[in-house]
Amino acid sequence: MNPETMRRIDAMIEGTISRPDFEVLQQTLRDDPVALRHYIQQAEIDGRLTWELAQAGGGETMSGPVPAPRPVARRTYIAAWAAAAALIVGGLFVYSFNRPATA
């Protein structure tokens, strides 16, 4: 990748790219997978840094990774199975009283 493409990518991320450079960069990103990969990496880094700095500037700092959501409690599964069993038993009960008599 040439230095001019890198300059255009930097200008794009900074928001200072000119219209002609933007059009050239678009075509370059369509034609050159290496340039596209570099652009995506730079944009991701810029986005993460912007987010981190916004968080730090707000007086709150990240204390660590975000905890994973808690798994569903076991009693929730038990309640769901009990409800399903009650529906099945109730359905069989209603069916047994509504079936035609046999001779």
Side-chain angles (χ1 to χ4, degrees):
M1 181 172 39
N2 64 37
E4 192 60 25
T5 300
M6 292 177 73
R7 183 195 63 75
R8 285 186 182 110
I9 289 173
D10 290 342
M12 176 67 184
I13 291 172
E14 292 170 358
T16 60
I17 194 166
S18 67
R19 184 71 184 168
D21 278 349
F22 176 71
E23 291 171 2
V24 171
L25 179 60
Q26 280 186 318
Q27 190 60 45
T28 301
L29 295 177
R30 282 188 206 109
D31 297 340
D32 186 358
V34 173
L36 178 61
R37 201 168 25 254
H38 179 74
Y39 170 73
I40 291 169
Q41 289 171 344
Q42 293 302 107
E44 181 179 4
I45 290 169
D46 180 69
R48 287 180 183 216
L49 285 173
T50 301
W51 186 82
E52 290 282 338
L53 291 173
Q55 293 297 316
E60 296 181 21
T61 58
M62 297 291 289
S63 60
V66 176
R70 290 182 17 203
V72 177
R74 185 176 177 190
R75 65 178 171 258
T76 304
Y77 289 117
I78 293 171
W81 280 106
L87 286 172
I88 291 170
V89 169
L92 290 174
F93 184 73
V94 169
Y95 174 74
S96 67
F97 282 109
N98 289 331
R99 69 178 181 181
T102 58

